[in-house]
Amino acid sequence: MTTWFISRHPGAIEWAQHQGFDVDNWVPHLEPQLVQAGDTVIGILPVNLAADVCQRGAKYLNLTLDMPAHMRGRELTFDELCALGARLEPFHVAALNIELGNKK
């Protein structure tokens, strides 16, 4: 079982290192085909990639922040992440097989 930390942001990586997580692979972008059942994936993933992780039988831990709108779209420091209440939250994400009304 492998633990992955997915981020290209130095502040997030520093935050995770200070938390003492036992991470096997620190990578800037996820290649879902490398994730196996029993793995743990930590990061902030687009919902389709989080669903792929869960479908493969891995755990997804989202790096959650309470971020105000004026702070979005820029690099956050370790101190800012701490001030914003950075934490890991487990999610199970799955795609739904439903028909959408407006097909084009």
Side-chain angles (χ1 to χ4, degrees), residues 9 17 19-20 35 63 69-70 72-73 80 89-90:
H9 302 286
Q17 290 170 335
Q19 304 310 305
V35 175
L63 174 54
H70 74 275
R72 294 184 183 142
E80 289 173 321
E89 294 183 319

Side-chain angles (χ1 to χ4, degrees), residues 58-99:
K59 291 184 278 189
Y60 174 55
L61 301 177
N62 189 72
L63 174 54
T64 300
L65 307 170
D66 300 321
M67 187 168 18
H70 74 275
M71 293 185 79
R72 294 184 183 142
R74 65 176 183 84
E75 289 293 327
L76 300 174
T77 66
F78 166 76
D79 290 332
E80 289 173 321
L81 287 166
C82 293
L84 293 170
R87 64 198 175 276
L88 297 185
E89 294 183 319
F91 281 86
H92 180 82
V93 183
L96 300 176
N97 291 319
I98 60 172
E99 188 170 322

Side-chain angles (χ1 to χ4, degrees), residues 11-85:
I13 293 166
E14 183 180 357
W15 178 85
Q17 290 170 335
H18 276 84
Q19 304 310 305
F21 302 131
D22 187 19
V23 174
D24 301 299
N25 292 317
W26 301 84
V27 295
H29 298 282
L30 178 66
E31 294 184 41
Q33 69 274 14
L34 299 177
V35 175
Q36 298 180 13
D39 286 0
T40 299
V41 176
I42 302 169
I44 302 173
L45 298 180
V47 68
N48 60 309
L49 291 182
D52 197 351
V53 164
C54 295
Q55 183 180 21
R56 293 172 180 279
K59 291 184 278 189
Y60 174 55
L61 301 177
N62 189 72
L63 174 54
T64 300
L65 307 170
D66 300 321
M67 187 168 18
H70 74 275
M71 293 185 79
R72 294 184 183 142
R74 65 176 183 84
E75 289 293 327
L76 300 174
T77 66
F78 166 76
D79 290 332
E80 289 173 321
L81 287 166
C82 293
L84 293 170

